[in-house]
Amino acid sequence: MTDRRDIPYRFEPTATAAQLHAAHGDLAAGESSGVQATVAGRLMLRRVQGRLCFGTIDDASGVRIQLFAPAAATPDYEEFCGLSIGDWVGASGEVMKTRRGELSVQVGDWRLLAEARRPFPDKWHGMADTDTRYRQRYVDLWVSPGTREAFEIRSAAVAAIRAELAARGFTEVETPMLHPIPGGAAARPFVTHHNALDCDFYLRVAPELYLKRLIVGGLTHVFELGRIFRNEGLSPRHSPEFTMLELYQAYADYTDMMVLIEELSAAAATAATGGTELEVGERGLDLAPRWRRATMAEVVSEFIGRDLPVTGEPDSPAAADLRREADRLEVATEAGWSAGRILAEIYERRVESEIWDPTFVCDFPVEVSPLARRHRHSDGLAERFEAVAAGRELANAFTELADPDEQRSRFAAQEHRRRGGDSEAMTTDEDYLRALAYGLPPTGGLGLGIDRLVMLLCGTETIRDVVLFPTLRPTAGGGEP
RNA sequence: GCCCCCGUAGCCAAGCCCGGCAAGGCAUCGGACUUUUAAUCCGCAGAUCGUGGGUUCGAAUCCCACCGGGGGCACCA
């Protein structure tokens, strides 16, 4: 005789709930299929009615299926009725529809697969406390509608991006996460220590400088899709660890990167949601190419309502003009900032969040773009853009700066800012300069925030909804008793 | 780091302004029920009201500090 409480070492379902609904959904109410099936999942609902018991299990296949257990046919019926909501159960029997037309497996045999020793949340209200949802995601995934879906969207989007890049001949690589010199982005790093080498390392803030070393090394199409770490504030749009697609393509420039971002984003949206038209909050958004291209000067001028100067030394009339606008918009500036720096500040603080439809904001001031090549036509600007949608930055890209001498002077300018108290300014990476000295061909590169893209696909306002285990302050002992 | 809001049973919650026995629902436990769909009906039990201090005859409620979360600012993508 089977001990139903004896957990088996192995269990073999023959069908998922989704498969059974697809194969037998057209059975008439009260009809039996004659087909045997074994299903397994978590018991989400249970209705005992005297000599009949109905259970609803969720097997994560997207739909639930009912277990129909008549006392006369179900072994250990009393014990079956005693199963708790949240228990994992496997059941075998004929696929049938009840008189009320609910597709079910009539339980001819069953096993307990795991006991829920802690009670599951309310079957109707679910889990409302965000703290508990994030800390106990293993419960949230079962009881909160949409949680699992968000991570399926995320998985589909990432898979689509990898497939698109493979089809274009890109090589996926993995570069160090432990960096002796933090580089590739203006951000404060996490610091850690290696005992055997007795030296500090920084968790990477960007893989950029390593990936460009690979272009020097002849890997002409490379990308890395992985976690990066920035020791900065948390917000609905910022997580200390987040996922970035970073990509470099030899012989390409930033206009090629625009096309690539459009195509990758549209492919990810289509794979994950079935189309490029999305709903974010109350508003619609379409990721289909072709996205708007506008210069930073244009979008800021539009916002303010008149043409603005773009470049100028700190003491120029252009800088004074922009400073007046910044003051009027209550954007703080510092003495010694060039016109471009002020323009970029106004853009970041006031304009970016107002841009809704997907837009490439192009031609950043060169002084805020230390790794981007100077614009081929416009003095004082760099061939750099950010992709913006729904008021949020999605991606950052440029035509890469390849000249080692100019790169050295750009690093020097960053060092100067660092000495001035800017803790996010870059430090000089001598080995990177050496790599450039071996020759970096014309190259386009991009960094695309995967979490931000998935947020658009899910229509959510908070990054924690697309991160399985968001960073939270640890609790004593790692959890409640 | 600063500002605002929140924290009541395993879960969802009322009560808090205006101090006076801590509602209700789900889950659990016991009972009834042979086609349920958040099953229904009857009954039992379950609460250091986030933690600590203060005011008061009396504090979930008012005050202070701390812990945790959310939002905003700052910083950034």
Side-chain angles (χ1 to χ4, degrees):
Chain A
M1 172 149 176
T2 310
D3 180 353
R4 311 256 160 218
R5 298 254 141 202
D6 188 17
I7 307 292
Y9 281 78
R10 192 164 180 281
F11 194 78
E12 197 161 345
T14 60
T16 64
Q19 288 165 348
L20 293 182
H21 278 280
H24 303 289
D26 56 353
L27 280 175
E31 192 181 357
S32 293
S33 68
V35 174
Q36 297 287 312
T38 300
V39 293
R42 203 186 268 275
L43 188 68
M44 304 305 286
L45 294 169
R46 194 203 51 195
R47 299 171 289 281
V48 182
Q49 177 146 2
R51 305 298 292 161
L52 288 177
C53 178
F54 302 87
T56 303
I57 61 167
D58 188 330
D59 65 0
S61 68
V63 285
R64 295 176 174 185
I65 189 143
Q66 178 167 271
L67 302 181
F68 172 59
T74 302
D76 296 310
Y77 176 76
E78 295 299 330
E79 266 196 78
F80 185 85
C81 293
L83 288 171
S84 297
I85 287 175
D87 283 348
W88 289 74
V89 59
S92 304
E94 186 176 7
V95 181
M96 47 82 75
K97 263 197 183 168
T98 59
R99 284 184 211 162
R100 295 292 175 90
E102 182 75 26
L103 188 70
S104 309
V105 172
Q106 180 169 331
V107 181
D109 193 18
W110 66 277
R111 292 297 291 272
L112 179 70
L113 301 177
E115 186 185 356
R117 299 190 189 188
R118 299 180 68 113
F120 244 54
D122 186 290
K123 62 193 175 190
W124 187 245
H125 296 101
M127 228 171 200
D129 184 41
T130 51
D131 185 24
T132 315
R133 287 186 50 221
Y134 299 148
R135 289 189 196 277
Q136 301 182 32
R137 191 68 100 178
Y138 36 86
V139 180
D140 184 45
L141 283 163
W142 289 104
V143 302
S144 302
T147 299
R148 205 186 291 154
E149 188 191 0
F151 296 102
E152 277 157 8
I153 285 174
R154 183 174 181 129
S155 172
V158 168
I161 287 170
R162 282 205 161 94
E164 290 289 319
L165 292 175
R168 286 168 172 75
F170 279 87
T171 303
E172 181 168 6
V173 297
E174 294 173 273
T175 64
M177 292 211 186
L178 297 175
H179 287 189
I181 299 167
R188 290 167 68 178
F190 288 93
V191 190
T192 188
H193 187 81
H194 190 283
N195 291 335
L197 295 175
D198 190 24
C199 65
D200 285 343
F201 280 95
Y202 302 89
L203 298 188
R204 65 179 179 189
V205 295
E208 172 153 358
L209 301 184
Y210 284 97
L211 291 171
K212 283 192 275 192
R213 283 174 171 94
L214 296 179
I215 300 280
V216 172
L219 278 67
T220 57
H221 294 62
V222 292
F223 77 93
E224 180 160 9
L225 205 166
R227 210 73 61 84
I228 64 181
F229 307 86
R230 297 187 183 177
N231 202 344
E232 282 154 359
L234 291 77
S235 89
R237 290 162 296 284
H238 299 90
S239 169
E241 49 178 309
F242 61 104
T243 301
M244 180 93 104
L245 166 69
E246 215 165 286
L247 169 156
Y248 294 86
Q249 181 179 347
Y251 320 127
D253 67 7
Y254 75 149
T255 64
D256 296 305
M257 296 301 103
M258 294 182 203
V259 173
L260 199 46
I261 287 171
E262 285 171 336
E263 291 177 354
L264 291 175
S265 301
T270 302
T273 72
T276 57
E277 290 180 24
L278 308 170
E279 192 132 317
V280 179
E282 301 286 293
R283 294 178 70 179
L285 186 81
D286 193 347
L287 289 180
R290 178 172 191 234
W291 300 2
R292 185 183 178 208
R293 282 124 169 100
T295 66
M296 177 183 283
E298 281 166 359
V299 298
V300 177
S301 294
E302 265 173 34
F303 179 80
I304 287 179
R306 68 177 174 91
D307 282 346
L308 294 169
V310 182
T311 57
E313 295 300 305
D315 49 2
S316 64
D321 186 11
L322 282 166
R323 194 178 298 278
R324 275 193 299 277
E325 291 294 348
D327 290 345
R328 192 173 62 77
L329 294 165
E330 295 178 331
V331 171
T333 56
E334 288 175 24
W337 281 12
S338 63
R341 184 80 201 278
I342 298 170
L343 183 77
E345 196 71 11
I346 295 173
Y347 166 73
E348 295 270 347
R349 301 244 173 255
R350 290 290 178 272
V351 183
E352 182 184 85
S353 60
E354 301 299 320
I355 297 173
W356 186 262
D357 291 319
T359 302
F360 295 113
V361 178
C362 308
D363 301 346
F364 278 50
V366 69
E367 54 268 40
V368 298
S369 312
L371 300 168
R373 188 168 174 181
R374 282 182 187 280
H375 197 282
R376 65 195 76 183
H377 300 307
S378 307
D379 271 357
L381 298 181
E383 293 202 355
R384 171 185 173 190
F385 68 85
E386 288 185 357
V388 181
R392 306 195 278 254
E393 181 189 337
L394 256 194
N396 181 22
F398 20 98
T399 303
E400 302 299 332
L401 172 57
D403 182 281
D405 296 329
E406 177 160 9
Q407 185 66 72
R408 180 177 291 282
S409 64
R410 300 276 194 97
F411 276 144
Q414 289 285 310
E415 298 275 8
H416 182 75
R417 273 167 71 164
R418 171 170 288 272
R419 282 190 299 275
D422 183 347
S423 61
E424 285 159 5
M426 293 181 196
T427 47
T428 305
D429 185 331
E430 287 294 342
D431 180 71
Y432 178 65
L433 292 171
R434 178 168 57 194
L436 292 185
Y438 280 98
L440 177 72
T443 297
L446 68 85
L448 189 154
I450 296 295
D451 312 83
R452 292 273 179 89
L453 176 63
V454 175
M455 284 168 70
L456 289 182
L457 302 184
C458 294
T460 180
E461 305 283 337
T462 154
I463 195 168
R464 296 182 188 91
D465 285 346
V466 300
V467 173
L468 279 166
F469 299 100
T471 307
L472 297 174
R473 190 179 294 278
T475 53
E480 303 93 311

